[in-house]
Amino acid sequence: MINFDKISKIKNKNELKKFKIDEPIFLSNYLFHYLIMTNNLKGIKLTKFPIYKENNEGLQGLHLAAKMSNETKNYDMLNYLLKEYPEYANNINYFNESFLDLLDVNENIIKLIKEHKKVNWYNLLINIIRTDEYQHC
């Protein structure tokens, strides 16, 4: 059983050491997936995580953070991941989706684009156009 309460309260390296970082915990979810789900920003900041790894739903770290941002209207985790892991911002998952595909269109996307200059937004936007073209063929 996953102890979400315990994961949501990780705030130092000693607590982090109780979990394996490079192995899935459950349903291909790694610790970073659960840290994102519980919005534990302190915990995610403690070390570098393999956020490029997908869970059983095809969600990498940025994908899951985008999905959670839509649900909670809190963009802190997504902002942090874009700042710390810009090299993974253009990753496409198993379903040919980028994290941008999982965000609702609103003013927060403009804020993300303005704030995170290291992200190749052009490639992300082109992928959305390509994906839409393939769906209409």
Side-chain angles (χ1 to χ4, degrees):
M1 191 74 165
I2 306 304
N3 189 336
F4 284 101
D5 189 50
K6 190 174 183 181
I7 291 171
S8 71
K9 293 178 181 173
I10 294 172
K11 50 189 160 207
N12 63 52
K13 290 199 177 200
N14 284 337
E15 293 168 345
L16 186 67
K17 287 180 184 177
K18 297 174 185 173
F19 297 90
K20 294 181 180 179
I21 293 174
D22 293 328
E23 293 181 27
I25 297 173
F26 183 69
L27 293 176
S28 299
N29 283 301
Y30 289 74
L31 178 60
F32 72 87
H33 287 107
Y34 294 114
L35 291 169
I36 293 168
M37 283 185 234
T38 60
N39 200 33
N40 186 342
L41 202 52
K42 286 183 181 180
I44 204 104
K45 289 180 178 182
L46 293 173
T47 191
K48 284 287 191 181
F49 288 93
I51 68 158
Y52 55 86
K53 294 191 178 197
E54 292 183 17
N55 64 11
N56 65 325
E57 296 178 34
L59 300 174
Q60 301 170 17
L62 285 164
H63 291 81
L64 183 57
K67 180 180 176 186
M68 297 305 296
S69 294
N70 278 339
E71 293 175 10
T72 64
K73 306 304 179 213
N74 180 336
Y75 288 77
D76 294 343
M77 182 67 72
L78 182 57
N79 271 311
Y80 174 76
L81 294 178
L82 285 170
K83 178 183 170 208
E84 293 299 316
Y85 301 92
E87 66 273 21
Y88 300 123
N90 291 101
N91 283 9
I92 304 301
N93 68 5
Y94 178 78
F95 304 108
N96 200 34
E97 298 169 321
S98 73
F99 80 91
L100 202 52
D101 290 300
L102 301 172
L103 278 176
D104 289 338
V105 176
N106 60 39
E107 68 278 353
N108 289 306
I109 292 176
I110 302 302
K111 290 177 189 175
L112 291 171
I113 291 171
K114 286 181 178 179
E115 188 170 333
H116 301 285
K117 304 285 187 208
K118 291 182 181 180
V119 173
N120 188 335
W121 294 102
Y122 177 78
N123 278 350
L124 285 167
L125 294 168
I126 291 300
N127 183 65
I128 290 173
I129 293 167
R130 281 193 217 128
T131 302
D132 285 345
E133 286 175 359
Y134 293 133
Q135 290 175 353
H136 292 77
C137 292

